[in-house]
Amino acid sequence: MTQPVRRPIEQPSEERGKRAGCLTWGAVLGVLAGIMVGVYALPPILKHYYGETVVGVNETYRAGGKSIILLDVSQASDPLGEAASGMRREDFFAHLEVHSNDPWQPKATDFTLEFKELDDWQKATEATVAGQPLTTIIEHHETTIEVHWVVEFPPDEVTSLTVEAVHLSDPRVKFEVTWP
């Protein structure tokens, strides 16, 4: 039997070793640049093209066959229910007048309330039309939607809440609010 022929293992040349290091560093820097673009540059670009339409106080949103005006935002003088243990509860309401050229099916969760003191926008717990649960907005009729938010927060961190805006997710609209 013959012995297998052993070939010497070639060591990469010094020039080839330098190229491999450059490729590795290039890949690392490319990934870091991609992360930086994704974190810092992409959100403002997307917000510019797909951002919210800002509607001032007492102004009407008109687009997509809809006109929507925020009539008022109010707070119940007393909480309308019990808060979770260790939390404080406040109830907020908004009335919006809507006229749509097509049937429209908003949901209560499409409405959020932004507060100066809280980081997260609060989703509405219910929305009604004339006391009935919100369903399809009938075309060519003026409809008043009442939206209700139950907001719970730690009483030791926040003493009072200041409403800054009402947001609607479909269409993407921000209704500015003047809060007393």
Side-chain angles (χ1 to χ4, degrees):
M1 186 179 259
T2 62
Q3 291 290 337
V5 178
R6 297 184 186 253
R7 296 185 186 159
I9 299 174
E10 292 184 30
Q11 296 296 324
S13 67
E14 186 177 323
E15 182 180 318
R16 192 171 192 181
K18 286 181 184 177
R19 272 189 286 171
C22 287
L23 289 174
T24 302
W25 277 108
V28 168
L29 292 175
V31 168
L32 290 175
I35 290 171
M36 298 297 278
V37 166
V39 169
Y40 295 108
L42 198 56
I45 292 169
L46 291 175
K47 187 174 181 183
H48 173 74
Y49 288 106
Y50 302 107
E52 291 179 311
T53 301
V54 178
V55 177
V57 177
N58 297 325
E59 292 182 6
T60 302
Y61 167 80
R62 287 185 178 90
K66 294 176 190 58
S67 66
I68 306 170
I69 185 167
L70 177 65
L71 300 174
D72 61 30
V73 177
S74 61
Q75 180 178 2
S77 56
D78 292 319
L80 302 177
E82 292 295 319
S85 177
M87 301 294 273
R88 179 172 163 196
R89 174 183 168 146
E90 298 291 341
D91 291 85
F92 292 86
F93 295 90
H95 293 90
L96 296 99
E97 189 172 275
V98 177
H99 183 273
S100 181
N101 293 336
D102 299 314
W104 180 42
Q105 297 180 334
K107 301 179 292 294
T109 55
D110 290 345
F111 297 93
T112 54
L113 201 55
E114 179 182 359
F115 294 95
K116 181 178 182 181
E117 297 82 8
L118 301 178
D119 292 333
D120 295 329
W121 297 351
Q122 304 296 308
K123 286 191 176 190
T125 52
E126 69 175 333
T128 58
V129 173
Q132 300 300 312
L134 178 63
T135 57
T136 302
I137 301 296
I138 300 170
E139 58 194 71
H140 305 296
H141 284 83
E142 280 197 7
T143 305
T144 301
I145 300 173
E146 181 180 69
V147 186
H148 177 206
W149 290 269
V150 174
V151 182
E152 292 185 340
F153 54 95
D156 55 336
E157 294 177 17
V158 178
T159 57
S160 66
L161 293 174
T162 306
V163 178
E164 290 194 325
V166 173
H167 296 267
L168 177 59
S169 64
D170 183 25
R172 290 189 43 83
V173 184
K174 174 183 178 180
F175 295 95
E176 293 179 334
V177 173
T178 300
W179 191 249

